[in-house]
Amino acid sequence: MASRPAFHPPTWALFALAALAVVALSAWSIAACGPWDPWETHYGEVARQILVRSDPLDLWWKPGVGPDGNAENTFWSKPALPFWLMALSMKLLGVGLGAAPDEMVRAPWPELAIRLPSMLTGLACAVFLGWSCARLLAAARPDDPGRATRAGFYTALALVTMPQWAIVSRQALTDMFFVAPVTVAMAAWGLAWLRPDRPLRRRPLVDLLPRRLRARFVNEAVGPEGHVSSDMPDRSAAIAAPSGSPPSRATGELSPPPASDRAPAAADPTLAAIGEAARASTDLSSHTASLARSPRAPDDLSSHTASPAAPRASDLSSHTADISRIDAPRGPDLSASPDANDARRLERTAGPAGRSPASGWRARLAAVARRELPWDRAYLGFLVLFLLAVVAPIVALDLHVSSDYTVARVSRFVKKPGVPHFGTLVKIHLVMLGYAAVALLVLLRTLRWRTRAQAWMGVLYIAAGVSLVGKGMIGPGLVGLLVLLHLLVSGRLTFANLWRCGPLTGLLLFALASLPWHHAMWIYRGDSWLNELIIVNNLARFGSGEQDQAVGGFAYYLRTLGIAALPWSAALPAALWAAARRLRPDNSPGHVPSDMFSPTGPQGPAPSASLSTTAAPPASDAGAARPSSSEVWRFALLWFCATLALLTTSVTKYYHYLLPALPPFALLLGLWLSEPAPPVRDRKLAWAAAGLGTVLLALVLRDAIVEPAWITHLTTYLYDHMWRNGAPETTGLVACALPFALGLGLWAARRQQAALIAMLLAGFITLHYTLNSYLPAVSEHWSQRTALRHYYDHRGPDDPLASWWFYYRGETFFTKGAVWVQKEADRETLAELVEANRGHGRSVWLITTGSHSARAKSSLPSDVRAKAEVAYENAHYTLLKVPVP
């Protein structure tokens, strides 16, 4: 009996299973990990204040009540985007505005509400990076689409299983909201410049109308047809220009393809069949005469395509007469167009049977209805991003400053210089109207884009603007540096190429995505806000150290990469070796600067996009040049090295600053994992790379076991003193790393499939250990949630909570601001608090650090000092209960 063939699950099923595993592992223990001090609790309370105050414009922070309860009444250190998203998540999940005072210590909804935006952003960023990698490799290797898909899958999987990326995605931090837009911007740059371009698919406006309206208002009237002007021209604008020269037109006007590039009319079998049938007609002369008396049909071959039904002789002769007036046909081969599209074009051109030609306003309406709009996935993606990143913030800010609630609240402010007033709101309203008008004009201008690369450049500019609203100036600065470096290294840094980046429309898109909130806040709060946000919290951190512990040398981030990307950091030598091999010149027809002068890159001129409701057929010529996959390798290597070098030059060094270097490293890993096994002639070098990676892995494991809090420090900024305590043992990392070391050996032995299984398994084990074993254990010491949950479970109805010699923000977040705050060790103010509660049968609860708890007891009045007891303590925090007679 013949044996059954082995079962091979489809590729999409494996990808779906891996995606579900990543989501499950990421969300499994989210409720078991309380929000960490100081950032998660600080940012979470700022987001909650947006809901409490109904104010998305002016970010707010208030510690509580008591001596230092008004120590801060503003929050000017970060831009608004992360807090908008956290507030939106809280609103949707119903968190933060409840009547229960202990609402924020009851898992899982508070944790999920403040962390969900970061988690979704991190996962979506990894998916987009993997998809972009697959598209770039598919353009370079169209004969092997499976390899491109696997490369994208490996890229996304490597990124989401890196410990630092996984932890930041699981925490309410601001970093993900600038790293993800930077990643999107650089992926969009690669999609625009590292693969052949093509025209955007377009559809007439009439096709978007219901059929009844289409038949009612659209007839034979012809709208004007002309070419558009854009500062983001397609690459045909410089096809005849030498390298380094500017485009022939100052406005970047798109020119029609030359007559030599147009296909001859006889090459279209459909039109040839129409001509033969018309010549066989016996009534040709009469219909030709009638055609001469009718208005001229549009110069659009789609309107002359035969319908599926057998045409009448009169119809065929009329179309033949139309064709005779066309010099040379343009556009793709219409014989491959769907019959339904042809029928719609016929109806749109000639109008319903028996209807007379329209005139006046109907003719103008028909002309407008025939205007073609971009109807392409690339442009629709840009449009969605434009609506979310540009339109939504402008509308939200304008509605806020125009609301009766805001006007009434601001009108009650003290009337003195520097305090917002009604005139301030009017000024912001007018500014938002101006931004809305500019946004409308820019959107109309983008409707004139003709190529896919223009849409992806639009995505780049908007993403760079979003990164500025996400964290600050580091995002757009990093994008600009990487773009210029790539143009310089690839030999494309010319004025013509810079102009083809669309700087005019692009800068407007960047400004629309980044400036409305900044501009409104500058009007609302003045120069003091601008100085704190831009100078103190952006430029000063890069140029001068913020804290003594946040310093390091050249190897600071190289060492951090070992634990941040564990176990994938062990593959760094092998991936760099594979990338270095692509730096050598190859004989493949790479995507060199001269290719950029072609409308579709190295594949030659593209057909006109004026009537393409269907996709333009790709070039099938076997000799057509294609971009080399080495170009993608070089781009990933440049992205990784330049980001690492820029971060190293910063004087202030925190471990979490390494995060922007992880996406390009994951891209390198995805390309390396998708490569075939190393050739036999290079087996010695392969074994050397595998051995070096294993040694690096062992060194990282040694440091992580000796310093268990190292993983925790990847997302915090307090590294010394008590913050080195409380982390669990990390010997479990050895089990995570062993499969990867085995995978490196299998790779050097040219056992590619087994090596992939071992490495991916190591990535999943590390993700599970980090999120579901390590984080829950360490969260008991880095979060005040358990201590304050104990307070709410055991307190009396009127027992107050005080934070004494203590200011770590969690006490404010978990109590929703109902906490007495004393930042310094002041004995007198503590005695006043005790006296205010004397004689009511209450207990005063004190939250402080472990090292300050003994001092707190000695600072109490003598008659209550002996009764003070430790109600809860961990490695960092101590909760004291002080009964007051």
Side-chain angles (χ1 to χ4, degrees):
M1 179 181 293
S3 60
R4 285 186 174 184
F7 172 70
H8 295 286
T11 303
W12 68 265
L14 295 177
F15 291 174
L17 182 63
L20 289 175
V22 168
V23 173
L25 291 175
S26 299
W28 183 266
S29 63
I30 194 169
C33 304
W36 290 11
D37 286 333
W39 282 339
E40 280 199 283
T41 51
H42 196 181
Y43 299 159
E45 177 62 15
V46 172
R48 196 185 70 85
Q49 286 294 332
I50 293 178
L51 301 180
V52 172
R53 302 169 66 246
S54 298
D55 188 358
L57 173 62
D58 188 21
L59 301 183
W60 189 262
W61 163 262
K62 186 175 183 298
V65 297
D68 294 319
N70 289 309
E72 300 176 52
N73 285 322
T74 59
F75 182 83
W76 293 351
S77 61
K78 295 290 185 294
L81 178 62
F83 310 100
W84 288 347
L85 296 178
M86 281 188 272
L88 177 61
S89 178
M90 290 174 127
K91 182 71 173 180
L92 294 176
L93 296 179
V95 172
L97 298 179
D102 60 345
E103 176 187 12
M104 307 308 290
V105 300
R106 306 301 178 187
W109 299 114
E111 291 80 6
L112 183 61
I114 64 175
R115 291 168 174 168
L116 186 61
S118 185
M119 185 168 69
L120 293 179
T121 303
L123 295 177
C125 174
V127 171
F128 183 77
L129 180 64
W131 177 83
S132 302
C133 174
R135 301 307 298 170
L136 291 175
L137 279 188
R141 300 179 180 273
D143 54 338
D144 190 5
R147 179 175 169 185
T149 304
R150 291 192 300 272
F153 171 71
Y154 300 148
T155 298
L157 202 59
L159 184 58
V160 297
T161 55
M162 292 179 182
Q164 189 177 47
W165 189 270
I167 298 175
V168 173
S169 298
R170 268 274 303 267
Q171 292 190 341
L173 306 178
T174 59
D175 299 84
M176 189 57 68
F177 300 103
F178 104 86
V179 175
V182 168
T183 304
V184 170
M186 295 313 302
W189 173 259
L191 292 170
W193 286 79
L194 299 184
R195 60 175 179 166
D197 203 1
R198 62 162 175 79
L200 287 174
R201 301 173 179 90
R202 307 180 72 83
R203 290 184 64 179
L205 182 60
V206 66
D207 282 357
L208 306 180
L209 298 176
R211 179 171 293 275
R212 289 186 178 181
L213 291 178
R214 192 186 315 162
R216 181 178 179 86
F217 293 111
V218 180
N219 48 46
E220 293 182 28
V222 180
E225 180 183 9
H227 301 291
V228 299
S229 174
S230 172
D231 63 287
M232 284 188 181
D234 65 7
R235 296 169 186 169
S236 62
I239 191 169
S243 177
S245 62
S248 59
R249 304 189 185 205
T251 60
E253 183 178 5
L254 297 178
S255 302
S260 60
D261 293 337
R262 302 175 185 171
D268 193 328
T270 303
L271 300 180
I274 293 175
E276 291 296 332
R279 282 192 291 272
S281 170
T282 58
D283 200 15
L284 177 61
S285 58
S286 61
H287 289 289
T288 304
S290 64
L291 177 64
R293 295 190 298 270
S294 64
R296 181 173 176 174
D299 186 16
D300 189 336
L301 289 184
S302 62
S303 63
H304 309 300
T305 308
S307 61
R312 297 193 304 267
S314 59
D315 295 332
L316 295 175
S317 59
S318 64
H319 288 299
T320 304
D322 279 346
I323 294 169
S324 66
R325 293 196 298 270
I326 301 176
D327 296 334
R330 293 178 296 167
D333 185 4
L334 296 179
S335 62
S337 301
D339 295 338
N341 291 338
D342 299 338
R344 284 198 300 270
R345 293 192 185 102
L346 281 173
E347 178 186 346
R348 189 169 61 247
T349 303
R355 177 172 294 181
S356 59
S359 60
W361 69 271
R362 285 185 178 274
R364 290 191 292 271
L365 181 61
V368 172
R370 288 191 183 86
R371 295 285 180 89
E372 291 183 337
L373 303 178
W375 200 256
D376 191 278
R377 284 185 300 177
Y379 184 83
L380 292 179
F382 160 80
L383 182 60
V384 170
L385 186 60
F386 181 87
L387 294 175
L388 293 177
V390 175
V391 177
I394 293 175
V395 171
L397 291 174
D398 187 63
L399 291 177
H400 166 68
V401 299
S402 304
S403 67
D404 295 338
Y405 171 81
T406 303
V407 172
R409 184 170 64 88
V410 172
S411 299
R412 294 193 297 267
F413 289 175
V414 178
K415 304 300 187 294
K416 64 179 182 179
V419 177
H421 50 83
F422 177 74
T424 307
L425 299 181
V426 173
K427 187 180 297 185
I428 295 175
H429 171 64
L430 295 177
V431 168
M432 291 302 109
L433 291 181
Y435 278 111
V438 174
L440 178 60
L441 294 177
V442 171
L443 180 61
L444 293 176
R445 190 172 185 85
T446 63
L447 296 178
R448 309 166 96 182
W449 287 347
R450 295 296 180 184
T451 66
R452 180 177 60 186
Q454 290 174 296
W456 284 118
M457 287 301 300
V459 171
L460 179 146
Y461 286 112
I462 293 181
V466 171
S467 70
L468 180 61
V469 191
K471 188 163 185 178
M473 299 175 64
I474 181 64
L478 185 57
V479 172
L481 174 67
L482 292 173
V483 165
L484 290 177
L485 279 178
H486 184 249
L487 288 174
L488 177 65
V489 171
S490 61
R492 296 189 178 101
L493 189 58
T494 64
F495 177 80
N497 285 335
L498 290 176
W499 184 255
R500 278 194 292 277
C501 291
L504 300 183
T505 302
L507 289 177
L508 287 175
L509 288 171
F510 172 79
L512 289 170
S514 61
L515 293 186
W517 176 80
H518 288 85
H519 196 171
M521 273 300 295
W522 180 52
I523 296 173
Y524 196 77
R525 287 296 184 180
D527 294 338
S528 57
W529 166 84
L530 190 66
N531 177 74
E532 181 170 341
L533 178 65
I534 303 300
I535 306 301
V536 176
N537 288 283
N538 280 268
L539 300 180
R541 287 192 181 186
F542 189 86
S544 60
E546 184 186 30
Q547 296 184 18
D548 294 338
Q549 61 173 358
V551 294
F554 175 77
Y556 183 87
Y557 285 120
L558 287 177
R559 178 177 179 268
T560 306
L561 183 66
I563 188 65
L566 189 76
W568 300 101
S569 52
L572 182 62
L576 291 180
W577 172 56
R581 293 166 55 194
R582 269 72 182 181
L583 296 178
R584 298 187 300 234
D586 53 12
N587 296 324
S588 61
H591 209 50
V592 295
S594 59
D595 297 334
M596 305 303 295
F597 297 148
S598 174
T600 56
Q603 291 188 1
S608 172
S610 62
L611 48 89
S612 53
T613 57
T614 59
S620 58
D621 185 5
R626 304 186 193 281
S628 170
S629 60
S630 298
E631 182 80 2
V632 183
W633 274 92
R634 290 190 285 266
F635 170 68
L637 182 62
L638 175 67
W639 182 3
F640 173 69
C641 294
T643 302
L644 200 61
L646 177 65
L647 297 176
T648 302
T649 59
S650 174
V651 176
T652 301
K653 288 183 173 65
Y654 289 125
Y655 289 131
H656 63 278
Y657 282 6
L658 179 65
L659 194 68
L662 297 187
F665 182 43
L667 181 58
L668 280 173
L669 291 171
L671 295 172
W672 171 66
L673 292 172
S674 65
E675 289 286 303
V680 177
R681 66 177 183 274
D682 293 333
R683 61 181 181 273
K684 292 183 179 180
L685 291 175
W687 278 108
L692 180 59
T694 304
V695 172
L696 293 177
L697 188 61
L699 294 176
V700 171
L701 289 176
R702 182 202 64 182
D703 292 345
I705 293 174
V706 172
E707 185 65 36
W710 194 16
I711 300 177
T712 307
H713 294 161
L714 291 176
T715 59
T716 66
Y717 79 103
L718 299 173
Y719 307 146
D720 51 8
H721 303 303
M722 72 175 185
W723 302 104
R724 300 171 67 94
N725 306 322
E729 293 185 357
T730 53
T731 53
L733 289 175
V734 176
C736 303
L738 285 179
F740 202 90
L742 176 62
L744 287 176
L746 292 171
W747 169 79
R750 307 186 73 248
R751 302 287 300 275
Q752 190 74 356
Q753 187 171 3
L756 285 172
I757 294 175
M759 293 179 186
L760 295 178
L761 178 63
F764 275 108
I765 295 176
T766 305
L767 178 66
H768 171 69
Y769 172 81
T770 303
L771 297 184
N772 302 319
S773 178
Y774 182 87
L775 283 191
V778 81
S779 295
E780 286 301 311
H781 304 279
W782 262 260
S783 175
Q784 299 181 46
R785 186 183 66 177
T786 303
L788 295 182
R789 182 186 292 167
H790 183 91
Y791 159 71
Y792 280 111
D793 289 341
H794 298 88
R795 70 166 188 163
D798 299 318
D799 288 357
L801 175 69
S803 64
W804 187 81
W805 200 4
F806 185 82
Y807 189 55
Y808 286 96
R809 278 64 169 194
E811 65 278 6
T812 302
F813 172 76
F814 289 114
T815 63
K816 298 196 287 189
V819 58
W820 185 90
V821 180
Q822 174 65 61
K823 297 171 65 173
E824 303 298 333
D826 192 327
R827 182 189 298 265
E828 294 180 0
T829 56
L830 182 59
E832 292 175 1
L833 175 65
V834 172
E835 292 300 324
N837 290 276
R838 190 181 294 275
H840 298 284
R842 301 171 184 166
S843 295
V844 174
W845 298 72
L846 301 180
I847 182 76
T848 187
T849 63
S851 59
H852 294 169
S853 60
R855 178 79 174 271
K857 288 184 179 181
S858 63
S859 300
L860 291 168
S862 57
D863 62 325
V864 299
R865 190 179 305 162
K867 299 179 182 179
E869 60 179 355
V870 175
Y872 172 87
E873 64 179 342
N874 57 30
H876 299 158
Y877 310 122
T878 298
L879 179 67
L880 297 175
K881 181 181 179 181
V882 183
V884 179

